[in-house]
């Protein structure tokens, strides 16, 4: 049967709100997913969704190719896995440290909290107070030996406060070190964690006005180098109540209740 005839028949059945249409589409897509090796554990939920969808939604789905539809379903499955993982952590059935067992972190005192508050293994942390790119350079041999699956880098705030560098200069220096990591650890997934905005009480200090510019330059550098970045700006604004008295560092609750989950969602790490 020609595809056009099949699609016309499906749309007509949907308009008539015949429940058998949902079953037909459900069975068809499930069979394709199983053939492609996709997870079909959420098939019942998929059927419920189809029973409630509008004619417009049905037509949109019909217009998708089988490949596009399967990609969409795979993406939905991943999002569900991510949220299920977060629920396991909230219920105490899984720890951040277990989930982040393949994650290494290099940076300043802000990321030191990831280890101090139990999110990552202490042996996977390379951080110190007032750290800058010189510290990253010194840690290159250790990174090369570890060859981590995921490496999160968080630098910049101490370069801004020193007033010695502009955003572009910092990004160029960062780029050179990142290229060395990519060369020695080609399979490592490198993530650049962007700067958090400082507390409004100290944001007026001239030495902190470069945060946005530094982030803009780092984003551009990541896009040019083909690596990922973790944008923390909106999260920090939502959780400003957890900022310590200095307006820069964060309390324990910020890491355990917010930043850990933000990392899971943005980096798509799940069990």
């Amino acid at each position: 049967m020609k595809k056009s005839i099949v699609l016309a028949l499906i749309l007509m059945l949907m308009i008539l709100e015949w429940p058998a249409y949902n079953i037909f589409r459900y069975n068809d897509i499930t069979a394709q997913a199983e053939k492609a090796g996709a997870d079909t554990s959420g098939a019942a939920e998929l059927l419920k969704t189809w029973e409630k969808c509008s004619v417009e939604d049905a037509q949109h789905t019909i217009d998708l190719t089988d490949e596009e539809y399967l990609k969409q379903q795979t993406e939905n499955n991943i999002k569900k896995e991510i949220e299920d993982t977060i629920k396991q952590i909230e219920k105490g059935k899984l720890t951040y440290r277990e989930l982040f067992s393949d994650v290494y972190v290099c940076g300043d005192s802000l990321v030191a909290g990831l280890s101090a508050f139990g999110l990552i293994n202490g042996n996977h942390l390379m951080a110190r107070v007032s750290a800058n790119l010189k510290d990253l350079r010194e840690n290159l041999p250790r990174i090369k030996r570890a060859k981590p699956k995921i490496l999160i880098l968080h630098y910049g705030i101490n370069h801004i406060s020193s007033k010695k560098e502009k955003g572009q200069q910092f990004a160029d220096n960062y780029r050179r070190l990142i290229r060395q990591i990519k060369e020695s650890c080609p399979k490592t997934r490198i993530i650049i964690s962007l700067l958090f905005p400082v507390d409004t009480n100290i944001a007026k200090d001239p030495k902190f006005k470069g945060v946005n510019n530094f982030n803009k330059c780092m984003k551009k550098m990541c896009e040019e180098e083909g690596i990922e970045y973790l944008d923390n700006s909106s999260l920090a604004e939502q959780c400003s109540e957890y900022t310590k008295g200095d307006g820069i560092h964060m309390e324990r609750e910020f890491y355990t209740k917010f930043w850990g989950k933000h990392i899971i969602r943005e980096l798509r790490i799940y069990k």
Side-chain angles (χ1 to χ4, degrees), residues 6 22 24 29 43 84 90 113 121 130-131 143 152 179 184 189 193 196 198 203 206 229 236 262 271:
V6 174
N22 295 319
F24 170 81
I29 295 303
D84 286 346
E90 291 174 338
N121 190 316
S130 300
I143 294 172
I152 299 176
R179 286 180 175 176
S184 60
R189 181 184 175 192
S193 175
F196 290 94
V198 295
Y229 60 82
H262 182 64
K271 272 293 187 182

Side-chain angles (χ1 to χ4, degrees), residues 178-193:
I178 290 168
R179 286 180 175 176
Q180 291 183 52
I181 297 172
K182 290 170 70 175
E183 183 177 353
S184 60
C185 306
K187 295 184 179 180
T188 294
R189 181 184 175 192
I190 302 172
I191 314 293
I192 301 301
S193 175

Side-chain angles (χ1 to χ4, degrees), residues 3-14:
K3 183 177 180 180
S4 59
I5 298 176
V6 174
L7 295 181
L9 178 60
I10 291 174
L11 183 58
M12 181 182 69
L13 294 178
M14 190 61 193

Side-chain angles (χ1 to χ4, degrees), residues 13-258:
L13 294 178
M14 190 61 193
I15 293 173
L16 294 175
E17 298 183 346
W18 187 23
Y21 164 74
N22 295 319
I23 298 172
F24 170 81
R25 182 60 173 169
Y26 161 72
N27 289 333
D28 177 52
I29 295 303
T30 301
Q32 293 180 47
E34 290 175 344
K35 184 178 180 180
D39 179 13
T40 59
S41 60
E45 292 300 319
L46 175 61
L47 179 57
K48 290 179 182 178
T49 300
W50 270 92
E51 289 174 344
K52 297 177 181 179
C53 75
S54 66
V55 174
E56 290 77 12
D57 292 336
Q59 180 61 59
H60 170 70
T61 304
I62 291 170
D63 289 339
L64 295 176
T65 65
D66 291 339
E67 182 180 357
E68 290 171 336
Y69 187 84
L70 289 174
K71 283 183 179 178
Q72 188 178 81
Q73 291 307 115
T74 300
E75 177 65 19
N76 290 340
N77 286 340
I78 290 174
K79 289 180 179 179
K80 182 177 183 301
E81 292 287 349
I82 289 172
E83 295 307 315
D84 286 346
T85 296
I86 291 175
K87 288 179 182 178
Q88 288 184 56
I89 290 176
E90 291 174 338
K91 293 178 181 179
K93 296 180 179 180
L94 177 69
T95 67
Y96 280 113
R97 190 168 291 180
E98 291 171 337
L99 181 64
F100 295 153
S101 61
D102 295 322
V103 177
Y104 278 66
V105 180
C106 293
D108 52 34
S109 54
L110 276 169
V111 295
L114 292 172
S115 173
F117 303 134
L119 277 73
I120 66 166
N121 190 316
N123 294 329
H124 292 184
L125 178 72
M126 290 166 263
R128 72 172 184 84
V129 175
S130 300
N132 53 40
L133 292 184
K134 179 181 178 182
D135 295 88
L136 176 57
R137 186 180 299 109
E138 293 174 352
N139 281 317
L140 289 178
R142 182 177 170 186
I143 294 172
K144 183 178 180 179
R145 289 193 301 270
K147 288 183 169 53
K149 184 175 180 180
I150 298 175
L151 176 65
I152 299 176
L153 304 176
H154 185 92
Y155 293 96
I157 194 67
N158 296 310
H159 289 261
I160 289 178
S161 60
S162 70
K163 296 184 181 180
K164 293 180 180 180
E165 287 182 271
K166 299 297 182 181
Q168 189 57 55
Q169 180 186 355
F170 170 77
D172 289 340
N173 292 333
Y174 214 166
R175 185 197 308 270
R176 285 190 280 271
L177 295 173
I178 290 168
R179 286 180 175 176
Q180 291 183 52
I181 297 172
K182 290 170 70 175
E183 183 177 353
S184 60
C185 306
K187 295 184 179 180
T188 294
R189 181 184 175 192
I190 302 172
I191 314 293
I192 301 301
S193 175
L194 301 183
L195 300 179
F196 290 94
V198 295
D199 186 88
T200 53
N201 293 326
I202 66 169
K204 296 179 181 179
D205 189 325
K207 67 182 179 182
F208 292 115
K209 288 186 177 180
V211 169
N212 291 337
N213 179 252
F214 266 56
N215 279 341
K216 180 180 178 180
C217 292
M218 280 192 280
K219 285 182 183 180
K220 185 173 183 291
M221 181 269 291
C222 287
E223 292 167 356
E224 293 172 347
E225 294 298 314
I227 58 177
E228 301 171 72
Y229 60 82
L230 177 65
D231 192 339
N232 302 299
S233 56
S234 61
L235 179 67
E237 290 165 2
Q238 295 170 12
C239 308
S240 58
E241 62 182 293
Y242 295 98
T243 304
K244 288 185 177 180
D246 62 4
I248 298 175
H249 298 88
M250 303 291 184
E251 302 284 357
R252 171 191 290 269
E253 289 79 5
F254 173 78
Y255 293 89
T256 57
K257 292 183 179 180
F258 299 100

